[in-house]
Amino acid sequence: MIIMKIVLGADQYPEYINGAATFTARLAAGLAAGGHTVDLLWPSADGRQDTYLEQGVRVHRLRSTRLPGRPRMQVSTPRGVRRQVEDLLQLAGPDVVHVQSHLGLGRTLLRTARRAGVPVVATNHFMPENLLHHVPLVRRFPDAAGRLAWRDLERVYGDADLLTVPTGRAAELLAAATTLAPADVVSCGIDLDRFAVDRPAVDGGAPTVLFVGRLEREKHVDELLRAFALLPPALGARLEVVGMGSLRPALTLLAGTLGVAASVRFLGAVDDDALRAAYARADVFVMPGTAELQSLATLEAMAAGLPVVAADAMALPHLVRPGVNGRLHAPGDVVGLADALTALLADPGLRTRLGRAGRAIAETHALGATVAAFEDRYAWLAVTRAGVRATGRSLATAA
């Protein structure tokens, strides 16, 4: 194995919990554990610049500013971080740069790396649906704004040496929306041991439904609450909602309006130990989101042995196989979602069987395999870049 200097950069950051940030942190830690020198660039959660060591990774929090209308979301702008990125890249002297987005920090890092002759891997976690509702000016024109957003991604990621996406469905979406080169599929991966749970064959307690994710429009937690209100009272079911987001006040109000507030717990953002405990308490995991390019939370639930009820949308059908490890419902079908939940909550034996199958599927997404896959790609790019420098060819010609 070639030991390398690697710089990772993402516009998503851990305090604003999402799959891209979680993946970036786990990949960085896995690479550092393998002996690589890893620098990780993230926007600061409070706007102030900082550098510290975490799990063997040098973490650099870059200057950021609050996104208008989103008091808990910070963004780094190209103008605001250009000099910092240039200085950090010179200090790190990387063999390869890996960006996780095409937005302010990501595009600045990618373009700075290109000017410095450093090869770049770009992973796409983006769908317009995950971003546009955060920007008030474009909410009225979602279709046009979505097309412009894809064009912007195409311009930025067109300068990368290698593209990756977490699922085959994500690759299809990128190919349909852009003219970029075909992307390699590399799962974001999960730490299987971290989420493993020993579940009793029979549990006589009140069954618990769990959702983990951002409380934003594309997750459709409002539909989950409406479906939960339709469950037979005899089940005595409870719902736990883990995550933060702009819709929490509205969702809390909706739970009260539906008459289920006493059975619903909004836990907010939680640490790793509390997250594992939530998976351990749950009997069924639900993901009604329609903009999932992989869904790490669903993978984590499967690793914890939970059956899954999910929307039949985007990449979720790649994880959830009806009758094998869970059930799918049509997006927006609240009654169908309620029926799927009722069937699983009423049958402990079925939950156990589906949960075991889900764990087996999750085992094909081990984090170690993901880290190794990126190590291989980094090494290929670094070696190819060295050969290009020696011959004067372009990297594209060498590929």
Side-chain angles (χ1 to χ4, degrees):
M1 181 181 72
I2 300 174
I3 300 299
M4 291 168 285
K5 296 178 181 178
I6 303 160
V7 169
L8 299 175
D11 283 274
Q12 306 84 355
Y13 54 92
E15 291 84 358
Y16 190 77
I17 300 170
N18 60 68
T22 300
F23 160 70
T24 306
R26 291 175 182 170
L27 175 62
L31 292 167
H36 304 288
T37 299
V38 182
D39 287 85
L40 173 56
L41 279 58
W42 261 330
S44 168
D46 59 11
R48 293 175 294 184
Q49 183 177 353
D50 192 17
T51 296
Y52 52 88
L53 191 67
E54 184 174 62
Q55 293 186 287
V57 177
R58 291 188 299 199
V59 180
H60 309 275
R61 306 306 295 264
L62 276 59
R63 297 188 191 94
S64 64
T65 186
R66 184 176 300 172
L67 186 67
R70 309 292 296 189
R72 301 188 68 179
M73 185 179 294
Q74 298 284 129
V75 295
S76 292
T77 64
R79 178 175 295 181
V81 298
R82 183 176 296 113
R83 178 60 62 85
Q84 288 178 274
V85 169
E86 291 172 350
D87 291 346
L88 287 171
L89 206 63
Q90 185 173 15
L91 176 67
D95 299 297
V96 65
V97 163
H98 186 175
V99 299
Q100 309 298 324
S101 72
H102 69 292
L103 303 175
L105 194 160
R107 74 177 60 204
T108 304
L109 178 56
L110 190 157
R111 289 171 174 170
T112 303
R114 293 295 293 174
R115 289 195 299 270
V118 180
V120 177
V121 177
T123 296
N124 185 47
H125 305 275
F126 172 80
M127 289 181 61
E129 292 83 350
N130 289 326
L131 175 68
L132 297 183
H133 69 269
H134 294 295
V135 185
L137 291 177
V138 301
R139 289 176 188 162
R140 294 175 58 189
F141 310 100
D143 293 339
R147 289 191 294 272
L148 290 173
W150 281 121
R151 296 288 82 75
D152 183 50
L153 180 144
E154 187 175 66
R155 284 192 297 271
V156 177
Y157 272 13
D159 285 336
D161 297 295
L162 178 67
L163 300 177
T164 76
V165 289
T167 62
R169 183 68 185 91
E172 294 168 359
L173 178 67
L174 194 65
T178 73
T179 60
L180 292 168
D184 287 359
V185 176
V186 183
S187 172
C188 290
I190 56 169
D191 185 338
L192 294 165
D193 293 337
R194 177 180 303 217
F195 297 102
V197 173
D198 291 327
R199 296 186 177 279
V202 177
D203 185 353
T208 298
V209 178
L210 175 66
F211 167 85
V212 176
R214 298 187 314 280
L215 304 185
E216 302 294 352
R217 186 176 306 174
E218 73 273 15
K219 298 295 186 180
H220 302 291
V221 181
D222 60 322
E223 295 175 7
L224 170 58
L225 289 172
R226 296 180 191 282
F228 184 77
L230 297 178
L231 299 182
L235 288 174
R238 300 185 63 82
L239 171 62
E240 292 193 352
V241 177
V242 173
M244 58 184 283
S246 65
L247 295 183
R248 177 167 176 170
L251 293 170
T252 302
L253 181 62
L254 178 60
T257 301
L258 294 170
V260 296
S263 300
V264 179
R265 294 178 65 200
F266 289 93
L267 301 179
V270 301
D271 61 23
D272 282 352
D273 289 340
L275 178 59
R276 289 194 295 270
Y279 286 126
R281 286 192 302 271
D283 296 282
V284 176
F285 182 80
V286 62
M287 177 50 71
T290 55
E292 304 294 321
L293 289 183
Q294 180 161 48
S295 183
L296 280 180
T298 301
L299 267 176
E300 291 169 356
M302 291 163 56
L306 289 173
V308 178
V309 176
D312 188 3
M314 287 308 299
L316 290 173
H318 288 248
L319 295 178
V320 182
R321 303 168 190 175
V324 177
N325 69 312
R327 297 202 173 194
L328 296 171
H329 69 279
D333 183 0
V334 171
V335 174
L337 174 54
D339 289 344
L341 289 172
T342 299
L344 293 182
L345 292 172
D347 192 336
L350 177 62
R351 294 199 303 267
T352 298
R353 178 173 63 81
L354 298 184
R356 288 173 178 167
R359 169 71 188 191
I361 295 171
E363 288 173 353
T364 66
H365 294 268
L367 180 60
T370 294
V371 173
F374 279 111
E375 285 177 323
D376 289 344
R377 285 159 174 79
Y378 298 159
W380 181 85
L381 284 173
V383 170
T384 303
R385 173 66 71 184
V388 166
R389 286 172 175 163
T391 62
R393 296 181 296 162
S394 69
L395 192 58
T397 302

